[in-house]
Every structure is written in structure tokens, then in C-alpha cells.
Amino acid sequence: MSKRKNLSKLIEKNLPQELVNLTKKVVNLATNRNQKLYLVGGVVRDLLLGLPNLDLDFVVEGDAIGLAKEFSDKTGGKLTTHPMFNTAKIRQGKLSIDIAMSRTETYAKPGALPIVKPGTLKTDLFRRDFTINAMAINLSPTKYGELIDIYGGMDDLKNKLIRVLHEKSFTDDNTRIWRAIRYEQRLGFKIEPKTLNLLKRAMPLMKTVGGYRLRRELTLVLKEEEPEKALLRA
């Protein structure tokens, strides 16, 4: 775990001011509720790569929906909640803010939706798709900006690799096959050799994934600046 790298200045420099202001508001609300709050996922990756990102993805220990409702009441936006997963999304124009409970996930069978239970930040990061998306930034006032990199995401960013966190990753969620291809082509990275072997082995399980979920992944591919790259790679 990286405890020394602090990204507070990077947040101020690379995030649009509107997102910086929204982040500070969420931090204040979480602090008042005595909840630990983290910035996670793609926005952390893109901050480190110097790429634009208009999505904020927060993980909070405890009641995520309650925090999201309070945030929405104070800042506006369209609030959508998912009580089954204790997650919420707030849309404000082109901006998207996700607030989720730190959790663990288990899968009853390939293609099934996950069974969710409350967890720690460590288990929450471990459930994610790739190491480069499994980093977090601590937003607690006393540790604001501290990078948390438990699973080697920084090394894979530097080496331009797409790597899963565990061998059952593509079995648990087969749509990660499309995501691996999409990130590889968008970022100019390479799928790490062991990850590529696991991906190929899991391809027959694609038939277990519901049509809606597959359509969503293909739609995201088509929204890329150069979708033909991902389609050719696939």
C-alpha cells in the first residue's frame, strides 16, 4: 500500500473546478456524518495519467444512500438509488457522481449479479476489474489526498498493462472481457499475458451474460473515440 504519495495538488490541478468543489462538499458531509470517504476507480486512474474525467466515484464506509440523498438535497441533480447494492448516482448535467458503500461481492454462478455485503476499503478495491482501476484516494481531512494502492495499480500504469486482480475475475463478470479490450485500446496499453490467457479461457462464458449487460458494454465500445480499434482487437 502506498502511504506516501499525496495527490491533493493533482486533484486541484487536473480536476475541473466544478468537480473539486463537489468533492469538497461530499467530504464535508461525510466528515459531519463520521464516515470515511474515498475517491476510487477510473477518476483516480485518469488523474494519474493526466486525462480528463467528468465522473466522480466515491466509496464510503456505511450508509451510502443516506449520504447521497443529503448531498443531492444540498447541490441538486437527479438522484437514482439502488438499495440492493447500497449505491446511488447523482447526475448534474454532464457530471456524474457515484456514491457506494464499501463492500464485498460474491457470485453464485457465472453471469449472475453479485451478492453484496458490507466490507472494507481493501475488499472493495479487490472486487474491481483491473489493478489500474483499483486505487483510491483518501478524502479524510487528516489524510486528504493520500494515494492507496494495495494491488499494484501504479506499477501497471507505468508499465501500461491491463491486469485482473484474481484468476476468477472474468468468470465472475464476463463483461470484463469487453472492458479489458476497451481500456487496452483507449489507453494504448497491453493486456498482461496471464490476464489475456484468463480472458481467452473465459470467452465461452459470454453466453451466460444477459443481453442488456452485453448491449451496454458494446454501447460503451461504440462511444469510444476510435471504436474500430476495440472491435478489431475483439
Side-chain angles (χ1 to χ4, degrees):
M1 181 187 300
S2 173
K3 293 184 178 180
R4 296 181 181 177
K5 191 172 183 66
N6 191 287
L7 304 183
S8 57
K9 291 183 180 179
L10 202 61
I11 292 172
E12 297 285 340
K13 178 183 176 183
N14 286 7
L15 277 186
Q17 189 59 47
E18 191 173 2
L19 291 186
V20 173
N21 294 339
L22 289 173
T23 297
K24 290 178 178 178
K25 289 177 182 178
V26 180
V27 169
N28 289 336
L29 291 174
T31 301
N32 291 337
R33 294 166 63 94
N34 293 315
Q35 291 181 287
K36 292 182 179 179
L37 183 74
Y38 306 91
L39 191 64
V40 297
V43 66
V44 178
R45 176 199 69 225
D46 289 346
L47 268 176
L48 290 164
L49 291 174
L51 298 175
N53 194 316
L54 294 179
D55 297 337
L56 290 175
D57 192 353
F58 297 103
V59 159
V60 63
E61 294 184 1
D63 180 15
I65 291 177
L67 176 61
K69 286 180 177 177
E70 189 175 352
F71 175 76
S72 179
D73 288 343
K74 291 184 180 297
T75 65
K78 181 182 177 182
L79 173 68
T80 305
T81 63
H82 301 281
M84 180 178 175
F85 301 113
N86 201 344
T87 64
K89 180 184 290 289
I90 302 106
R91 290 200 176 275
Q92 299 182 1
K94 293 183 179 180
L95 304 180
S96 175
I97 301 103
D98 287 283
I99 301 178
M101 169 191 71
S102 58
R103 63 191 195 257
T104 62
E105 291 180 347
T106 55
Y107 294 80
K109 60 181 180 180
L113 290 174
I115 299 167
V116 170
K117 295 181 180 179
T120 63
L121 177 69
K122 184 176 181 179
T123 62
D124 192 271
L125 295 177
F126 187 69
R127 71 177 178 81
R128 295 175 183 270
D129 48 12
F130 310 110
T131 58
I132 60 170
N133 294 333
M135 292 179 283
I137 298 174
N138 197 328
L139 297 178
S140 299
T142 57
K143 297 183 179 181
Y144 187 88
E146 175 186 288
L147 176 67
I148 300 170
D149 179 16
I150 302 170
Y151 301 109
M154 275 293 293
D155 285 341
D156 285 338
L157 273 187
K158 291 174 183 177
N159 294 315
K160 298 186 175 183
L161 293 174
I162 306 296
R163 186 194 308 271
V164 290
L165 281 88
H166 56 87
E167 292 195 354
K168 291 184 64 180
S169 184
F170 293 118
T171 304
D172 287 344
D173 184 353
N174 207 250
T175 64
R176 288 172 178 166
I177 288 176
W178 277 110
R179 265 178 271 164
I181 294 168
R182 181 157 51 91
Y183 288 132
E184 179 192 55
Q185 297 305 307
R186 181 203 298 173
L187 300 173
F189 284 21
K190 283 292 183 184
I191 299 174
E192 180 266 335
K194 185 177 179 181
T195 296
L196 186 60
N197 287 335
L198 292 171
L199 183 155
K200 290 178 178 178
R201 279 169 39 190
M203 284 179 65
L205 296 175
M206 191 73 75
K207 62 186 177 183
T208 68
V209 180
Y212 168 79
R213 293 173 65 203
L214 278 179
R215 184 169 65 249
R216 181 177 180 275
E217 292 300 327
L218 286 170
T219 299
L220 290 172
V221 168
L222 295 174
K223 287 181 177 179
E224 292 287 319
E225 286 189 10
E226 297 178 285
E228 66 276 9
K229 288 185 176 181
L231 294 173
L232 285 169
R233 173 66 156 146

